[in-house]
Amino acid sequence: MEYAPDLIADLAQQVTRVFKMAVERRLASSQTPITIANVETGLRELLREVGAQTLGLFLSSGAGTPVAELPCACGGVLHYQRQREATVTSVFGRITYERAYYAGCQCGKGRAPVDDQYGLEPGAVTAGWAALLGLGGIELSFGESRDWLKAFLLFAVSENTIRSETQALGAVQDEREDALCLQSQDLAYLQARLRETTPLPARLYGSLDAAKVRIEPRPKAGKEPAPTEAWRDMKVGCWYEAEPVPPARRSTRQRAKVEREQTVFRAKNMCYYCDIKEADEFGKLMWGTGCAVKADVVPELVFVCDGAVWIWNLIKLHYPHAMQIVDWYHAADRLKRVALAAFPALSDRT
């Protein structure tokens, strides 16, 4: 969204006046000096309160003049009841708004057009807040996410809320990936893509790897203690393209590589997928996501991976015509081992 600079300047002047009054009251009631950290936190608190009220007012004003009747999803008719209050939790905290509410259909269900328009569910969290909760739940443990989010957004959220939203986000991703896998087995769909005129990248890259993740079962209320934790392989894949790194953005290592007359690239348009599955099952996801990015029809497909046997078996099975490259770290490590074994004396290796 874009905003007129003069309106932003006027709003900033108003916020400054309100904030200065709060600072002056604080100085009058306390001998403790105010630091820049106090100023920053206080201003963030003020902007959060303004954001919460603004969002509530915006949603309350979005309905316009209510009509007498609306069609119901069941085919019946809903009748206007009243301006009904609802509460949701957003990135600004808990907000309340009023909107036109319709009911009276024989199916017994009600409807609020503003909720439909913005995808709101009274008592639940907004889409923007759910995305942040999911991001925190993915990157950190749920307990750590709770503390991290509170430090950044200045209001508390429960560990259970982070867990439920993260799991909901995962369920959506599972559904999407299941649909891709099912689609990739449809011969008509695969043939139709060959007739598309959308430009393909000249070269597409793929990478696969695995990492150990801890599975920590939790006992349910009134049940026996959960079994001990276990470690399993999470397999991860990525599809991506590559582009030259502009001179101004090159790191020290990349500049040294250019001096050796080598081109430096960086990944772009990255598309990740992962799951805790055996290799054969993970291969179905590899094929499904690959078809979505047209890895099976690009002019040149290159895989850069380590030397794990399961990786190259999957590539050979699903993308037999792809170029297969062992990544630099593992190739250099293996070369060193071979050199040490073949030439024990340092003088023989130089």
Side-chain angles (χ1 to χ4, degrees):
M1 295 183 181
E2 295 183 0
Y3 307 96
D6 56 338
L7 294 179
I8 294 297
D10 291 341
L11 182 59
Q13 291 289 345
Q14 297 179 47
V15 170
T16 300
R17 286 194 292 270
V18 173
F19 186 65
K20 287 184 67 175
M21 291 173 58
V23 171
E24 291 169 356
R25 287 197 299 268
R26 166 74 180 273
L27 290 173
S29 61
S30 175
Q31 300 298 321
T32 305
I34 294 182
T35 65
I36 187 61
N38 300 141
V39 171
E40 290 175 315
T41 301
L43 186 55
R44 289 173 58 209
E45 291 171 343
L46 173 59
L47 294 176
R48 185 180 72 83
E49 292 289 343
V50 170
Q53 292 197 31
T54 301
L55 182 56
L57 292 171
F58 173 78
L59 294 174
S60 297
S61 64
T65 303
V67 297
E69 296 178 346
L70 284 178
C72 183
C74 72
V77 178
L78 293 165
H79 303 277
Y80 173 70
Q81 303 295 306
R82 64 187 185 278
Q83 292 291 317
R84 186 172 180 178
E85 189 177 87
T87 300
V88 294
T89 305
S90 75
V91 295
F92 303 108
R94 191 177 299 273
I95 65 164
T96 300
Y97 62 100
E98 289 188 349
R99 77 276 201 249
Y101 185 76
Y102 294 79
C105 183
Q106 293 182 350
C107 69
K109 295 182 179 179
R111 176 187 170 194
V114 167
D115 292 351
D116 297 339
Q117 180 180 357
Y118 294 108
L120 300 172
E121 181 182 348
V125 303
T126 63
W129 184 215
L132 290 179
L133 292 172
L135 179 62
I138 291 170
E139 292 293 333
L140 303 167
S141 69
F142 299 137
E144 291 174 318
S145 297
R146 175 195 58 207
D147 299 336
W148 183 83
L149 289 166
K150 183 178 180 180
F152 274 86
L153 297 176
L154 303 180
F155 65 91
V157 59
S158 72
E159 183 177 332
N160 286 336
T161 298
I162 298 173
R163 177 183 292 107
S164 63
E165 293 302 324
T166 304
Q167 291 172 343
L169 186 64
V172 171
Q173 183 66 15
D174 279 342
E175 291 179 4
R176 176 181 176 275
E177 291 177 348
D178 288 344
L180 291 178
C181 291
L182 183 62
Q183 182 177 257
S184 68
Q185 301 302 316
D186 183 351
L187 183 59
Y189 160 76
L190 296 176
Q191 292 177 338
R193 292 181 316 141
L194 299 177
R195 298 188 293 270
E196 295 178 357
T197 58
T198 305
L200 295 173
R203 178 186 294 163
L204 184 70
Y205 291 86
S207 291
L208 296 169
D209 207 344
K212 293 291 184 181
V213 294
R214 187 176 66 179
I215 306 300
E216 185 179 357
R218 296 189 175 210
K220 295 183 178 179
K223 302 293 183 179
E224 295 295 325
T228 57
E229 64 189 31
W231 292 83
R232 295 179 62 186
D233 274 341
M234 171 174 280
K235 296 177 176 61
V236 183
C238 182
W239 302 107
Y240 56 98
E241 298 172 49
E243 63 181 1
V245 180
R249 294 183 176 272
R250 291 171 185 165
S251 65
T252 302
R253 180 181 63 82
Q254 291 170 335
R255 287 194 293 270
K257 187 175 182 181
V258 171
E259 292 175 357
R260 298 195 301 270
E261 298 183 354
Q262 296 179 345
T263 305
V264 293
F265 293 93
R266 64 182 178 185
K268 68 173 184 177
N269 299 332
M270 293 173 284
C271 178
Y272 289 94
Y273 56 98
C274 64
D275 211 334
I276 303 176
K277 289 182 176 180
E278 295 299 324
D280 290 345
E281 285 298 309
F282 188 73
K284 298 177 182 178
L285 180 58
M286 174 191 180
W287 173 251
T289 57
C291 289
V293 298
K294 300 185 177 179
D296 56 320
V297 294
V298 293
E300 186 175 10
L301 178 62
V302 180
F303 278 92
V304 182
C305 311
D306 64 23
V309 175
W310 69 268
I311 292 178
W312 301 112
N313 285 343
L314 288 183
I315 296 172
K316 182 179 180 180
L317 174 64
H318 294 287
Y319 303 97
H321 302 299
M323 181 182 296
Q324 303 175 15
I325 300 176
V326 177
D327 65 70
W328 173 261
Y329 175 84
H330 288 88
D333 179 68
R334 184 56 58 91
L335 181 62
K336 180 180 179 180
R337 296 183 190 182
V338 171
L340 291 174
F343 307 104
L346 178 60
S347 58
D348 293 335
R349 298 197 301 268
T350 55

